[in-house]
Amino acid sequence: MKKSDIAAALDSGARRRAELLDESGGTCSSIEAAGRLGLSEQAVLERADNGHLIGLRSPPQRDVRFPVFQFSTESKGLILGLDKVLAELRSVPAIDAWAKCNFMLSPRDSLQGETPLTLLKEGQVKRVVELARAYAS
């Protein structure tokens, strides 16, 4: 494979990630995430580092952006059940923040084209946790 082919594939992947995030509401800063959760910025960054929040690091690994889809619109906190889903996903260290986003935002045939995020927002926590467990195994 030529360098130009690799660069094109990487660029395509980066565009798809940006599209997924944009379609789901975009991202916010650690300060904005702290406000949404009622926590300090340091606590938010620690939760991202520990896998309790999805925090996307961008080069040079200093800036962390938080996908908005993970926050509740009704109250301060995460969407109901996301903590349980993230617990399953963080059981496998190879599942990084981008893989977690991909899991949550990608339509699945087993869900008749719906995404795990859609089911989670509909209150189908147990089903999404089971999907996360299967994804992590």
Side-chain angles (χ1 to χ4, degrees):
M1 188 176 248
K2 296 185 286 186
K3 281 187 180 181
S4 61
D5 293 338
I6 294 170
L10 289 172
D11 187 48
S12 174
R15 276 194 313 273
R16 180 63 188 133
R17 285 186 209 160
E19 288 171 7
L20 273 175
L21 289 173
D22 286 345
E23 291 168 3
S24 67
T27 62
C28 65
S29 70
S30 55
I31 293 170
E32 292 168 312
R36 288 173 181 255
L37 297 172
L39 299 171
S40 70
E41 182 182 9
Q42 184 62 38
V44 166
L45 293 169
E46 286 173 8
R47 286 181 182 210
D49 286 342
N50 295 328
H52 294 268
L53 276 175
I54 301 172
L56 304 168
R57 293 197 178 271
S58 55
Q61 299 298 323
R62 292 196 177 122
D63 186 34
V64 181
R65 302 295 298 176
F66 294 85
V68 172
F69 72 77
Q70 65 190 322
F71 302 111
S72 173
T73 56
E74 284 92 45
S75 63
K76 286 192 179 215
L78 298 176
I79 57 173
L80 183 66
L82 184 64
D83 56 334
K84 294 175 182 167
V85 174
L86 292 178
E88 292 295 333
L89 297 176
R90 74 175 167 265
S91 70
V92 178
I95 300 177
D96 65 5
W98 283 111
K100 291 171 187 170
C101 284
N102 188 54
F103 169 77
M104 293 299 296
L105 301 175
S106 295
R108 306 217 172 271
D109 290 339
S110 63
L111 303 177
Q112 292 75 46
E114 293 293 339
T115 67
L117 178 61
T118 299
L119 268 65
L120 203 56
K121 287 182 174 183
E122 291 173 353
Q124 297 185 47
V125 175
K126 183 177 178 183
R127 188 166 181 202
V128 178
V129 168
E130 289 168 357
L131 286 167
R133 187 173 299 130
Y135 182 80
S137 63

